[in-house]
Amino acid sequence: MAAGTRTQPARTSDKAPAETTADHSPAGGGKAAGPTPNGDSEVDPATSGAAKKDAARRDDKQGDRAKQDDAAKQGVGEGSTATSDTTAKDSEPAKDSEPAKDSGATKDSGATATKDGDPAKDREPAKGAKAGGTDGTDKADSEAKPVGPERWEAFASAPEPKPSIFSRVGRAVGRFLIHEWTLAALGALALAVLMTWPTLRYPRYTLPQDYWDPSLQAWQMAWSGHILLAEPARLWQSNTFFPELWSFAFSDTLLGYAPAGMLGSGPEDAVLRYNIMFVLAHALATFGAYALARQLGAGRIGAAVAGVSYTYAPWLLAQAGHLHVLSNGGIPLALAMLARGHGWSLRHGYRPERRHDGWVYAGWLVAAWQLSLGFGIGLPFAYFLAGAVLVTAVLFFVRRLRTGQAVPFGRRLFVADVLGGVLFAGVGLLMAFPFFKVTELHPYAERTIGDISLFSPPASGFVTAPGESRIWGGLHEGARAALPWHPEMTLLPGFVLYALAAGGLFFSVWRLRHRLLLLAGVLLTMAFAMGTRFFDGTFTYVPLFEHLPGWSGLRTPGRLMLWTTLLLGLLAAGAVTALTDRVRELTAQRIPSWPGPWLRMATLLPLLLVTVEGLNTTPHPVVPTQPAAMRSAEGPLLVLPSNQSLDQHVMLWSTSGFPDVVNGGSGFTPRQLDDVRRVSQSFPDQTSVDYLRTLGVRTVVLLRGQVAGTPWEISIDAPVESLGISRQEVGDAVVYRL
């Protein structure tokens, strides 16, 4: 073929085999196709139409085989010499076919003649293509197919090795560390350390707010831990208020912190323990409220707003000296666990497929633990749970009567609720029994409506911040001066929280009816928190005081503000979640995404503002040092001077060995202790010595540093030989042995 001569398209397929002979013709004869000078194949005009159709079908099959061969070549590796060699070997029988050598129409599809017209180059690729249409090649292909993958296994990626136990443990730990709940717990703990600073700066020597009630509570934790290890049956007969019975029940006990009280001994360890639990109580409150908001359907940022606002509300800064009030994290955490176990959320409603009795058991356990910390916070929580169970049962049966179908609940869930409720009630009764005994022995210890009126805050208290608030403390000094007892009447939950909750009434992920229910809860709890200041409490606090068992022991209605704060936080969480969802939608629609990152950062502004409003200026005074005489004094003993404030220090000092002491400070003062304080004003004299001997007192410690302005300022150095007692100077105290 001359160079430059254009090849004409064949009337049949370029890959038509030379074997189109009389053997394949339905007519039984005909002329074989041969190459023309320009490379086209001539077809015998005598070939019938049926033969042409058969040839066309064979061409199609051979073309398909050629395509499969090409695809196989590309899958293994294009241009691979090994593939060419393999194909050549597989096509070896085709080389012996004489008609194949004579055919000029066996060029690869789409191939053109070379410029130099070398027929060898045209025929080389045609051999492999033509061989695909022979019977020999079919047989070779069928034998080679299972061999191919095995031949190329060496080029495949090596299988991933099975991880060792250390690798699996490492991955599990890694997943745990980046889990949402792990990050939430660590974040709550870090925030608690920062927001309560400098509590952990000198944790063995200082106490937050003051050193009176915190000293009492540090002794409570130390006593419960010590006595449960040494003599559990004597738990309620403490070493203070000697010789009174059930003295450990004279105030809220923080009994749930007893495991911490088992570590360490002495006043310094008691102070350290108190400060650690003070920080952990803030962390647990934040984590618990976060968990509750998340379970109800809030987003992460919205739940964080609920957690921070619940823990660091300005009004709680005035309660920094009351660990039993700050230890409230078990309330939202138990509610979150119970809601999760029952498959219920505020946003998505009841989802039976999400029920899990394990979470129900955990929720009741946490609720029982919260109750063990004290009835001041735990009693309203207990009545709330009882009311929630009652309302849920009523709604369950009403729906069953209305629809004729029972809501899926399950026997296991029912058993978990029954057992958990029995556990919770049992803990409550065991805790209540000593308090009822105290009321029986000291009926004057029970509160009256008059006592409640003294601590009932006015409506202005809801917008007044305590002096410990760094943002509002100085600005509200005049408003605090108008309150009769401002530590319990400054009830501001935060202006930022008010604003976010108000926005949540109009823009929220909660349904409208849920928003209205939350609003009703806010207003109702505010009315109860006002005590007798809301229409004299006739329709709110007074009925509870008169009819609910144990409610008469609560002397400060304003602490019900805890529930108001939680409900406001949930309203705010709904608004912030709606905001973050909207920002996410807007940023997803923008191309490019700018200013998407800035909008996402803006959603953190509510959380930042709530946190800033919770900043405090809480003082951290140094705890009075334990007198050397208290380390070696034998009980029962009396420490003079004795009053409500100083006796709380004596209780803390008694943690060195826990000797029986007459001193004690609590929510009320037993009459016998009043008598001791009155008679001992003339100590040392015969009357006071005889009276103390009658009580069983064997040692009296008189502190020189506290006698200024008291009767003992003169009598501390008086001789005592005529009284039949001994006197010894021990450090900065005088020790009398009766």
Side-chain angles (χ1 to χ4, degrees), residues 386-400 409 414:
V389 171
L390 180 61
V391 170
T392 302
V394 170
L395 293 177
F396 178 85
F397 287 108
V398 167
R399 181 171 179 179
R400 183 172 184 176
F409 195 77
F414 179 76

Side-chain angles (χ1 to χ4, degrees), residues 119-330:
K121 293 182 180 180
D122 292 340
R123 286 194 298 270
E124 280 299 319
K127 291 179 181 179
K130 178 186 173 186
T134 63
D135 296 335
T137 305
D138 288 343
K139 183 176 180 181
D141 287 343
S142 63
E143 294 175 355
K145 282 180 182 178
V147 180
E150 296 178 1
R151 187 172 297 172
W152 293 104
E153 282 182 356
F155 294 89
S157 58
E160 185 177 354
K162 184 178 181 180
S164 64
I165 185 172
F166 299 104
S167 300
R168 293 196 298 270
V169 171
R171 292 176 183 177
V173 172
R175 288 193 298 269
F176 173 78
L177 292 177
I178 63 174
H179 197 277
E180 176 188 353
W181 298 112
T182 304
L183 297 177
L186 294 176
L189 182 60
L191 185 64
V193 172
L194 294 176
M195 295 294 284
T196 60
W197 190 261
T199 298
L200 295 182
R201 185 176 184 180
Y202 304 109
R204 300 174 68 89
Y205 308 105
T206 64
L207 286 170
Q209 187 76 1
D210 56 57
Y211 44 57
W212 295 303
D213 283 353
S215 294
L216 162 65
Q217 293 161 350
W219 166 81
Q220 288 174 327
M221 283 188 284
W223 167 256
S224 60
H226 159 76
I227 201 64
L228 288 177
L229 290 176
E231 193 179 353
R234 197 192 157 194
L235 171 64
W236 299 102
Q237 318 300 331
S238 76
N239 70 311
T240 60
F241 294 100
F242 178 85
E244 296 286 354
L245 301 175
W246 307 100
S247 54
F248 193 49
F250 284 0
S251 57
D252 277 343
T253 61
L254 294 174
L255 185 58
Y257 290 151
M262 297 177 182
L263 305 175
S265 62
E268 288 189 357
D269 286 346
V271 172
L272 173 63
R273 183 186 306 114
Y274 178 91
N275 285 322
I276 291 175
M277 300 312 297
F278 179 82
V279 175
L280 291 180
H282 285 80
L284 180 61
T286 304
F287 181 80
Y290 175 88
L292 177 60
R294 286 289 284 153
Q295 173 60 31
L296 295 182
R300 292 184 177 87
I301 299 177
V305 169
V308 173
S309 63
Y310 176 74
T311 308
Y312 304 103
W315 75 273
L316 281 169
L317 299 178
Q319 304 292 332
H322 300 145
L323 183 58
H324 61 291
V325 178
L326 299 177
S327 299
N328 52 54

Side-chain angles (χ1 to χ4, degrees), residues 44 106 109 172 281 328 426 453 465 494 565 644 687 693:
D44 188 359
T106 56
S109 178
N328 52 54
S453 299
T565 307
Q644 174 74 12
T687 302
R693 281 175 174 169

Side-chain angles (χ1 to χ4, degrees), residues 179-546:
H179 197 277
E180 176 188 353
W181 298 112
T182 304
L183 297 177
L186 294 176
L189 182 60
L191 185 64
V193 172
L194 294 176
M195 295 294 284
T196 60
W197 190 261
T199 298
L200 295 182
R201 185 176 184 180
Y202 304 109
R204 300 174 68 89
Y205 308 105
T206 64
L207 286 170
Q209 187 76 1
D210 56 57
Y211 44 57
W212 295 303
D213 283 353
S215 294
L216 162 65
Q217 293 161 350
W219 166 81
Q220 288 174 327
M221 283 188 284
W223 167 256
S224 60
H226 159 76
I227 201 64
L228 288 177
L229 290 176
E231 193 179 353
R234 197 192 157 194
L235 171 64
W236 299 102
Q237 318 300 331
S238 76
N239 70 311
T240 60
F241 294 100
F242 178 85
E244 296 286 354
L245 301 175
W246 307 100
S247 54
F248 193 49
F250 284 0
S251 57
D252 277 343
T253 61
L254 294 174
L255 185 58
Y257 290 151
M262 297 177 182
L263 305 175
S265 62
E268 288 189 357
D269 286 346
V271 172
L272 173 63
R273 183 186 306 114
Y274 178 91
N275 285 322
I276 291 175
M277 300 312 297
F278 179 82
V279 175
L280 291 180
H282 285 80
L284 180 61
T286 304
F287 181 80
Y290 175 88
L292 177 60
R294 286 289 284 153
Q295 173 60 31
L296 295 182
R300 292 184 177 87
I301 299 177
V305 169
V308 173
S309 63
Y310 176 74
T311 308
Y312 304 103
W315 75 273
L316 281 169
L317 299 178
Q319 304 292 332
H322 300 145
L323 183 58
H324 61 291
V325 178
L326 299 177
S327 299
N328 52 54
I331 295 176
L333 183 59
L335 294 177
M337 289 179 170
L338 290 173
R340 182 169 183 177
H342 289 85
W344 184 84
S345 73
L346 197 64
R347 191 173 184 181
H348 306 291
Y350 180 55
R351 292 178 287 181
E353 69 278 4
R354 292 178 176 264
R355 291 170 297 170
H356 196 293
D357 59 318
W359 284 110
V360 175
Y361 285 114
W364 284 111
L365 283 173
V366 173
W369 173 79
Q370 176 67 55
L371 188 63
S372 71
L373 295 176
F375 284 114
I377 297 299
L379 190 63
F381 178 45
Y383 281 118
F384 173 83
L385 285 179
V389 171
L390 180 61
V391 170
T392 302
V394 170
L395 293 177
F396 178 85
F397 287 108
V398 167
R399 181 171 179 179
R400 183 172 184 176
L401 292 175
R402 187 179 60 185
T403 62
Q405 296 179 349
V407 177
F409 195 77
R411 182 177 300 176
R412 294 180 60 181
L413 208 61
F414 179 76
V415 171
D417 279 323
V418 170
L419 294 180
V422 169
L423 171 67
F424 180 79
V427 171
L429 291 175
L430 290 175
M431 291 284 297
F433 179 77
F435 289 93
F436 284 123
K437 295 294 292 185
V438 169
T439 304
E440 180 182 341
L441 296 172
H442 309 277
Y444 51 87
E446 194 169 0
R447 313 295 180 188
T448 65
I449 287 294
D451 297 329
I452 303 301
S453 299
L454 293 176
F455 296 99
S456 296
S460 61
F462 297 120
V463 290
T464 305
E468 292 82 2
S469 173
R470 184 177 294 274
I471 303 299
W472 307 114
L475 297 174
H476 292 182
E477 185 176 357
R480 286 195 302 274
L483 299 175
W485 184 249
H486 65 81
E488 298 289 350
M489 296 182 179
T490 50
L491 302 179
L492 175 68
F495 290 112
V496 175
L497 183 59
Y498 276 144
L500 292 174
L505 294 174
F506 305 97
F507 180 69
S508 177
V509 294
W510 312 133
R511 295 183 178 90
L512 178 60
R513 66 176 183 271
H514 294 152
R515 286 177 254 167
L516 295 178
L517 286 174
L518 289 173
L519 176 62
V522 168
L523 298 177
L524 187 63
T525 53
M526 280 184 167
F528 280 106
M530 292 177 67
T532 59
R533 293 294 187 101
F534 186 80
F535 296 102
D536 296 328
T538 305
F539 307 104
T540 54
Y541 201 88
V542 173
L544 301 181
F545 182 87
E546 293 178 346

